[in-house]
Amino acid sequence: MEHGSHSDQSKSTFSLADEDHTFANSMRFTLNQDPRVTFCGYSIPHPSDNRVNIRVQTTGDPAREVLKDACQDLMLICQHVRSTFDKAISDFKKSETVEIDDSE
């Protein structure tokens, strides 16, 4: 759900259900890396409400598009972290096997 002036699409507050600080802080960080973003912040309306409000203000581009781009960027970052982690686990297991083989 999006709140804000329909005449100025460069400023919007997005209310996202079933999210918490983990997602919101990651989105805030990702959005603030975008040079089109002049302000980004988030709030949790109430601890018992599983919802976050993310405020985005841009240099002129539609806030909705900038938020979509940030979601895509965050997804790519998560995929990179996951593949790096999986490779490190695989490399560690291989090195353990080599060490065990050497001791025989």
Side-chain angles (χ1 to χ4, degrees), residues 25-94:
N25 195 38
S26 299
M27 280 304 301
R28 182 198 55 79
F29 174 82
T30 306
L31 281 159
N32 279 321
Q33 302 303 306
D34 191 322
R36 298 173 295 174
V37 174
T38 58
F39 173 82
C40 176
Y42 77 91
S43 63
I44 307 277
H46 190 275
S48 68
D49 190 7
N50 201 17
R51 166 178 306 282
V52 296
N53 295 328
I54 300 178
R55 177 72 176 174
V56 180
Q57 292 176 209
T58 73
T59 55
D61 290 16
R64 176 186 295 257
E65 294 304 315
V66 173
L67 182 75
K68 283 182 187 176
D69 291 347
C71 286
Q72 182 72 24
D73 290 346
L74 184 56
M75 187 176 72
L76 293 171
I77 290 166
C78 289
Q79 288 172 347
H80 174 73
V81 169
R82 178 61 189 258
S83 66
T84 302
F85 179 77
D86 288 345
K87 182 180 181 325
I89 293 290
S90 176
D91 290 350
F92 177 75
K93 286 180 179 176
K94 286 178 189 171

Side-chain angles (χ1 to χ4, degrees), residues 3-36:
H3 303 285
S5 162
H6 291 290
S7 60
D8 186 358
Q9 295 184 354
S10 70
K11 304 174 193 166
S12 291
T13 300
F14 302 90
S15 187
L16 306 172
D18 299 323
E19 294 298 347
D20 59 16
H21 288 284
T22 305
F23 177 75
N25 195 38
S26 299
M27 280 304 301
R28 182 198 55 79
F29 174 82
T30 306
L31 281 159
N32 279 321
Q33 302 303 306
D34 191 322
R36 298 173 295 174

Side-chain angles (χ1 to χ4, degrees), residues 94-104:
K94 286 178 189 171
S95 72
E96 255 189 345
T97 305
V98 169
E99 288 175 24
I100 292 169
D101 291 344
D102 288 345
S103 64
E104 292 177 7

